Amino acid sequence: MKEFFGLLKKGNKPSLTAAIINTFIAIMKGVAFFFTGNVAMFAETMHSIGDAANQYFVFIGSALSKKAPTKRFPNGFGRLLNIVLLGAVLIVGVMAYETIVEGWHQLTEPVEAEGFIISVVVLSIAILLEFFVLYKAGKEILHEAGVKGGAMAPLTTSFAHLNRAKPATKLVFLEDLVATAGGVLALAAVLIAHSTGFLQVEGAASIAIGLMMLYVVGKVFMDNARGAIGETDEQMVNHIAHILTDHPDVRDIRELEVVKEGEFLHVETKIEVDPHLNIIQADALQERLAEIILSQPSVDDVIVSLDADDGETHWKHLSKRPDQLHKN
């Protein structure tokens, strides 16, 4: 139990922040739905419950994925985060289904809701809180990508670097992006229904929110399915290949693999060097190369093997040097 709580301290902080805030939002929306019966509010309640549950799972999964390798699991627990996320998105999927069904009922058999002021106030507060979480997640994406920007960068530049973010941070960002947009949509639906009497708009908004939730389910599921199988990080392969080929003692790269292990990267490479190096020189070079690779962003495990240069060029698919990456 002591080890478990110790690992929790290493959990993804944006997901914990988002989970706590979404718990409060879900309770607030649930109470509002109880008093108003507003279908758009029901959709938002389901959305916030799904987000909160999801983010608690993500936080715990990200913490457990940092558990040290054991004799039984020598490769560590990095991919545990991907497995947890695959299970977590199912919750959002169920909530999305319920949201769409309830929206369809309101669309086909509209019912007038009560408590207009309550709905407007609750949704307005929720939008501000969701926007705060979205902004914080955007800042974390920039931090993880090693990118600096101005005050608006977390809401603009972060989209361009979304693929460089950790899986948990990416999930929080996508969920709260949809949550913020869904809140605005629900608020607009409540205002239109109240001012025009067109009650079906609340059902349409509920269905739209459910479809946005399904988009997040599909996006996160595919990303983490690839991660659970073991996906190559092509950008980091190119980055490390440039570092190795620029090193004066490296003649050629025979093999280079960079595989995502949850939030971290596993690097395995075979390098060709001067065949006249003695054992001491080769050992020192092997350690230097491992240290250089290990200092790169998110790299947690490195295996460097050396081989004598055979005079042939093996590594030919070196692409244009990527932007400079920074160590987190």
Side-chain angles (χ1 to χ4, degrees):
M1 203 65 178
K2 183 179 179 181
E3 181 186 16
F4 174 74
F5 285 111
L7 288 170
L8 286 183
K9 295 179 181 179
K10 301 178 182 179
N12 183 268
K13 298 301 187 295
S15 61
L16 178 60
T17 301
I20 294 172
I21 291 177
N22 274 302
T23 299
F24 172 75
I25 293 174
I27 293 172
M28 184 173 61
K29 289 177 179 176
V31 172
F33 170 68
F34 178 79
F35 285 106
T36 65
N38 189 290
V39 173
M41 185 66 72
F42 172 81
E44 280 297 287
T45 302
M46 292 295 100
H47 192 174
S48 294
I49 291 173
D51 283 354
N54 218 355
Q55 288 153 358
Y56 279 121
F57 274 116
V58 170
F59 172 70
I60 295 173
S62 67
L64 295 179
S65 70
K66 295 178 175 64
K67 180 178 172 62
T70 63
K71 186 176 181 180
R72 186 176 180 182
F73 301 101
N75 293 326
F77 297 83
R79 297 189 194 184
L80 180 61
L81 176 58
N82 299 116
I83 297 172
V84 169
L85 286 172
L86 286 175
V89 294
L90 295 178
I91 297 174
V92 182
V94 172
M95 296 298 180
Y97 171 77
E98 292 295 334
T99 300
I100 292 172
V101 169
E102 194 66 27
W104 178 254
H105 289 161
Q106 178 67 9
L107 199 62
T108 54
E109 300 177 10
V111 177
E112 185 174 359
E114 300 177 356
F116 170 72
I117 299 299
I118 295 176
S119 297
V120 171
V121 171
V122 168
L123 285 172
S124 298
I125 294 172
I127 290 169
L128 291 175
L129 291 175
E130 296 283 12
F131 184 80
F132 169 75
V133 176
L134 176 66
Y135 187 85
K136 295 285 287 183
K139 286 184 67 175
E140 189 67 18
I141 288 173
L142 296 181
H143 171 70
E144 292 172 1
V147 177
K148 294 182 180 180
M152 295 302 295
L155 302 175
T156 54
T157 311
S158 55
F159 285 94
H161 301 280
L162 194 57
N163 288 334
R164 301 305 308 166
K166 295 177 180 178
T169 307
K170 184 190 294 187
L171 174 65
V172 172
F173 184 83
L174 288 174
E175 283 192 337
D176 280 280
L177 176 63
V178 171
T180 304
V184 172
L185 191 60
L187 179 59
V190 169
L191 293 173
I192 293 172
H194 179 74
S195 59
T196 66
F198 183 54
L199 304 180
Q200 288 90 340
V201 70
E202 293 178 354
S206 181
I207 292 173
I209 292 169
L211 292 175
M212 287 191 293
M213 292 167 69
L214 286 179
Y215 168 77
V216 173
V217 170
K219 173 69 174 172
V220 174
F221 182 87
M222 292 305 298
D223 284 351
N224 287 280
R226 291 193 296 266
I229 296 170
E231 182 183 17
T232 297
D233 189 323
E234 294 290 351
Q235 183 176 350
M236 188 57 76
V237 167
N238 189 37
H239 176 66
I240 293 176
H242 274 290
I243 291 174
L244 293 175
T245 53
D246 287 345
H247 196 284
D249 294 322
V250 174
R251 298 286 181 85
D252 193 13
I253 303 173
R254 181 72 68 88
E255 298 173 5
L256 175 59
E257 291 183 354
V258 181
V259 179
K260 295 179 181 179
E261 297 280 355
E263 295 182 355
F264 303 106
L265 300 174
H266 170 78
V267 180
E268 199 164 333
T269 182
K270 180 179 285 188
I271 307 298
E272 289 192 354
V273 298
D274 185 349
H276 298 102
L277 291 179
N278 59 42
I279 294 177
I280 296 177
Q281 292 172 322
D283 187 57
L285 176 59
Q286 189 177 32
E287 289 185 5
R288 285 200 303 273
L289 293 175
E291 288 174 0
I292 292 172
I293 297 173
L294 199 58
S295 68
Q296 302 311 305
S298 301
V299 176
D300 186 61
D301 183 39
V302 179
I303 298 176
V304 177
S305 303
L306 301 183
D307 201 359
D309 183 15
D310 59 5
E312 297 181 12
T313 301
H314 297 278
W315 194 262
K316 300 178 181 179
H317 55 282
L318 195 64
S319 60
K320 184 179 178 182
R321 181 182 291 277
D323 294 336
Q324 181 66 35
L325 298 173
H326 302 275
K327 183 70 176 176
N328 290 333

